[in-house]
Structure formats: C-alpha cells, structure tokens
C-alpha cells in the first residue's frame, strides 16, 4: 500500500473506530481527539464530523455542533456529486447550509451543481453569493474557476485558479 491518500484514509478509519469506542464509554474528550485526528488525516470523510457534532451537542456547544454537522453534510454531498447523484447532492448541500448559512464552499458547489442541471441563472446567483462571502477560501475559488473553464472564460479561469493557489498552495487538483 504505497498511496499516501489510502494510508491516511485507513488511519482515519482507525481513529474513527477508536473515537466511537470512546464515545460508547462516554469518554467525550478522548472521542473528540480521535475524531479530530481522523478529520486531519482524511478531511473529506463525513463520519468524524458527524460524531464531533454529536459530542459538541452533548457538551452544549451548539455553534461547534452546527459547523461539524454542516461539514459532514458537505462531505456527503461531495460524495454523491462525484457519483452523479445531483438531486441527493443538492439536498445535502442545502442541509449543510441549514446548519451553517454562511458556508461559501457549499454555496459554490450548489452553483456548479445548478450549472450542471442547466440552470445558468441560478448557478450565477449562487456563485455571486459564494464569492461575496468567500474571504480567501481556496475551495470557492477552485469551484468558480472550474465553472469558468466550462464556460471557456479563460482569463477568469486563470485568475481564480491563481487565487486558489495563492491562498492554499495544495489546492490545485
């Protein structure tokens, strides 16, 4: 197994299982640390964020819980989007926004999703909203650059790819 992504994923799964064990035994601090480690190893996974949300609710930290639940729905939506299940992805992105209304990456993904569904007006509205609230978010810039590339608007595509690179050197996929 030489692929680092796969190794990180497997270690993340170990931390998720460890966290669930801690959660079962009501050791919330240890569970939280395990789930956080899982998110650091594989930030695209939904499960550790979902469990963090449960822990934060248990501790009365509603804002942190909502952010964790939003990230969980966002990651799930990305998975469904990758499988071309656009309707399920749309529902999950909207659930993410219900937990965290100012989540520019989710808004941008909805923009791209609506573009894929041939609703250009709605796509542009979502992209405008995402860019307005992006505040140096490389994920938003990458999604918008991908959209502009589909539109064959090369100057804007390059501009936003460069912005994404500026704010996160590892953002070019």
């Amino acid at each position: 197994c030489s692929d680092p992504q796969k190794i990180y994923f497997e270690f993340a799964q170990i931390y998720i299982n460890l966290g669930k064990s801690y959660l079962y035994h009501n050791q919330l601090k240890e569970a939280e640390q395990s789930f956080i480690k899982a998110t650091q190893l594989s930030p695209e996974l939904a499960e550790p964020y979902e469990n963090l949300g449960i822990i934060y609710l248990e501790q009365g930290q509603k804002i942190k819980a909502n952010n964790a639940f939003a990230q969980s729905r966002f990651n799930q939506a990305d998975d469904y989007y990758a499988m071309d299940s656009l309707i399920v992805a749309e529902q999950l992105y909207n659930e993410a926004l219900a937990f965290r209304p100012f989540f520019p990456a989710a808004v941008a993904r909805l923009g791209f999703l609506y573009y894929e569904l041939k609703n250009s007006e709605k796509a542009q509205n979502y992209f405008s909203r995402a860019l307005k609230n992006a505040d140096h978010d490389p994920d938003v810039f990458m999604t918008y650059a991908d959209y502009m590339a589909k539109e064959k608007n090369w100057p804007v595509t390059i501009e936003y790819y460069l912005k994404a690179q500026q704010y996160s050197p590892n953002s070019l996929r």
Side-chain angles (χ1 to χ4, degrees):
C1 180
S2 63
D3 180 16
Q5 286 299 113
K6 187 173 181 174
I7 293 169
Y8 289 153
F9 174 82
E10 289 173 4
F11 274 104
Q13 292 300 323
I14 291 168
Y15 278 102
I16 290 169
N17 289 333
L18 181 61
K20 288 195 279 190
S21 178
Y22 283 132
L23 201 53
Y24 178 78
H25 293 288
N26 205 31
Q27 294 175 296
L28 299 184
K29 182 77 172 156
E30 293 83 357
E32 178 186 17
Q33 291 170 346
S34 295
F35 293 130
I36 288 172
K37 185 66 175 174
T39 67
Q40 293 167 341
L41 290 166
S42 274
E44 74 283 354
L45 295 175
E47 188 176 5
Y49 290 104
E50 193 71 22
N51 286 306
L52 283 168
I54 292 166
I55 290 169
Y56 296 142
L57 272 183
E58 185 73 24
Q59 295 172 338
Q61 299 180 61
K62 188 172 183 192
I63 293 171
K64 284 178 83 170
N66 283 348
N67 285 334
F69 288 136
Q71 189 65 51
S72 175
R73 297 315 184 282
F74 178 81
N75 290 356
Q76 290 174 50
D78 276 355
D79 289 343
Y80 279 99
Y81 193 100
M83 295 184 291
D84 287 327
S85 293
L86 301 183
I87 302 304
V88 176
E90 176 187 23
Q91 177 184 344
L92 288 164
Y93 287 131
N94 280 314
E95 285 180 24
L97 290 172
F99 283 111
R100 187 169 138 202
F102 297 104
F103 192 169
V107 175
R109 289 290 207 296
L110 277 168
F112 202 85
L113 184 142
Y114 290 127
Y115 171 80
E116 295 282 319
L117 293 173
K118 310 287 188 238
N119 189 337
S120 295
E121 184 179 328
K122 202 167 187 179
Q124 193 54 49
N125 287 339
Y126 273 82
F127 277 119
S128 294
R129 186 172 140 202
L131 291 169
K132 179 180 169 191
N133 295 306
D135 192 39
H136 311 307
D137 185 336
D139 194 26
V140 171
F141 298 146
M142 283 297 296
T143 304
Y144 189 65
D146 291 346
Y147 166 64
M148 287 287 99
K150 293 263 188 184
E151 291 285 299
K152 298 185 185 338
N153 186 335
W154 306 121
V156 175
T157 299
I158 292 168
E159 174 188 352
Y160 279 89
Y161 279 144
L162 289 173
K163 275 187 176 188
Q165 181 66 24
Q166 175 185 356
Y167 294 111
S168 178
N170 299 323
S171 66
L172 293 183
R173 40 184 172 198

